[in-house]
Amino acid sequence: MKLEITPLTKEAFAAFGDVIETDGAQNFEINNGSTVRYHDLANIETDAKVLVNIFRAAPLDYPVSVKMVERHPKGSQAFFPLDNRPYLVLVAPKGETVAAKDLRAFTAGGRQGVNYHAGTWHHPVLALEAVSDFLVIDRGGEGENCDEIYFDAEDIRLAL
Amino acid sequence: MKLEITPLTKEAFAAFGDVIETDGAQNFEINNGSTVRYHDLANIETDAKVLVNIFRAAPLDYPVSVKMVERHPKGSQAFFPLDNRPYLVLVAPKGETVAAKDLRAFTAGGRQGVNYHAGTWHHPVLALEAVSDFLVIDRGGEGENCDEIYFDAEDIRLAL
């Protein structure tokens, strides 16, 4: 099956996590009016330390054959693009199993970040066009925090 | 007095916080080798919730007359530029007072973030050239978390 790809919006993504963007966000002026603070854009979840990282992601060869998704049960994981370049987001709802029909694919704009809530199934980062950097905010600490599900029996294609 | 401005480096900034950058950072491959994770680049400190925000900052008129610095005693505050545009960082060491001679000014590159450790005195965000967005990771929660010191008696200039 070929996955449908739709634009990323807060409404469409609400079951999976947060869209980190200025559009529609609560905001107020600070610093004597020289700065606007778009405030509290992601629900960061962790039972331990919060890590800040940079992921440098090479684009895959499209169409991509989707082989797996992963989840982090103990914390959220946020991505914000640093190259103002669109990327893809592929998720499935929380739960013990994922079937191909549960997958949702979105095109994120270069000024949109995503924050996967703890337990949301997602594909590893899907850069487009060129090697792309993302600021990533996730959970550090002891204990296993990555489950994977493989789609061995299904042919799932992500085409541009 | 006119402040000297030097390039931002991890070494020069160590007393104030973290420089968030890939250069010199521990890293390893993930996602079947398609992604490099530059790992744990900032020490996020909080006694409460971690917030993710976007600051949209207008550049000030240079030379800037430095009137004040602020600190957040209950949490760190990280800035990462989203427009790949340099900016200035102005800090002073932790402590109960700040004099002009304690101030240190740095030019940060467009791919360098900073994380002010809890209690580090700093000037509000200093964009250059054009309105610039920054992803900001800081502390949310009850209680007063912003102290300010004003330099009423001193003429401190930040010139490009």
Side-chain angles (χ1 to χ4, degrees):
Chain A
M1 65 173 283
K2 179 170 177 259
L3 295 170
E4 184 188 8
I5 306 176
T6 60
L8 182 69
T9 66
K10 283 188 176 69
E11 295 68 26
F13 199 67
F16 310 108
D18 310 298
V19 177
I20 303 168
E21 62 185 349
T22 56
D23 284 3
Q26 60 174 323
N27 65 85
F28 45 92
E29 288 189 353
I30 59 173
N31 302 343
N32 254 340
S34 66
T35 302
V36 179
R37 180 179 172 120
Y38 297 89
H39 182 71
D40 194 7
L41 307 178
N43 186 26
I44 301 298
E45 305 164 304
T46 179
D47 65 349
K49 201 182 163 204
V50 171
L51 299 182
V52 175
N53 320 275
I54 293 173
F55 282 16
R56 181 159 292 166
L60 303 182
D61 290 323
Y62 292 87
V64 164
S65 177
V66 175
K67 300 291 188 195
M68 56 84 72
V69 287
E70 64 186 33
R71 68 173 176 185
H72 309 302
K74 296 180 177 167
S76 54
Q77 187 175 44
F79 288 76
F80 203 96
L82 299 179
D83 296 288
N84 202 356
R85 188 179 291 133
Y87 60 104
L88 299 183
V89 175
L90 178 59
V91 289
K94 298 179 192 184
E96 287 314 298
T97 62
V98 178
K101 67 174 174 48
D102 302 323
L103 293 167
R104 295 292 176 271
F106 300 99
T107 306
R111 301 305 284 236
Q112 288 183 307
V114 291
N115 182 46
Y116 304 123
H117 289 167
T120 290
W121 294 101
H122 58 276
H123 194 276
V125 57
L126 289 160
L128 294 175
E129 301 173 14
V131 172
S132 302
D133 284 359
F134 296 80
L135 200 72
V136 175
I137 306 165
D138 61 4
R139 176 246 186 215
E142 297 298 309
E144 184 53 50
N145 189 30
C146 190
D147 300 327
E148 297 175 337
I149 286 182
Y150 281 81
F151 303 114
D152 295 323
E154 298 188 82
D155 174 32
I156 309 168
R157 270 159 295 119
L158 194 56
L160 301 183
Chain B
M1 65 174 282
K2 179 170 177 261
L3 294 170
E4 184 188 7
I5 306 175
T6 60
L8 181 69
T9 66
K10 283 188 176 68
E11 295 70 25
F13 199 67
F16 310 107
D18 309 297
V19 177
I20 302 169
E21 61 184 349
T22 55
D23 285 2
Q26 59 174 323
N27 65 85
F28 45 91
E29 288 189 350
I30 59 173
N31 302 343
N32 257 338
S34 67
T35 302
V36 180
R37 179 179 173 119
Y38 296 90
H39 181 71
D40 195 7
L41 307 177
N43 186 27
I44 302 298
E45 304 164 306
T46 179
D47 65 350
K49 199 180 163 207
V50 172
L51 299 182
V52 175
N53 320 277
I54 293 173
F55 281 17
R56 181 159 291 167
L60 304 182
D61 289 324
Y62 292 89
V64 164
S65 177
V66 175
K67 300 291 187 196
M68 57 84 73
V69 288
E70 64 185 33
R71 67 173 176 186
H72 309 301
K74 296 179 177 168
S76 54
Q77 188 175 43
F79 288 76
F80 203 97
L82 299 179
D83 296 288
N84 201 358
R85 188 179 291 133
Y87 60 104
L88 298 183
V89 175
L90 179 59
V91 287
K94 296 178 192 184
E96 287 314 299
T97 62
V98 178
K101 67 174 174 48
D102 302 323
L103 292 167
R104 295 290 176 273
F106 299 99
T107 306
R111 300 304 285 235
Q112 288 183 307
V114 291
N115 182 46
Y116 303 123
H117 288 166
T120 290
W121 294 101
H122 58 275
H123 194 277
V125 60
L126 289 160
L128 295 175
E129 301 171 14
V131 172
S132 303
D133 284 0
F134 295 82
L135 199 73
V136 175
I137 307 164
D138 60 5
R139 177 243 186 221
E142 296 299 309
E144 184 52 52
N145 189 29
C146 190
D147 301 327
E148 297 176 337
I149 287 182
Y150 281 81
F151 303 113
D152 296 323
E154 300 188 80
D155 174 32
I156 308 169
R157 271 159 293 119
L158 193 57
L160 302 183

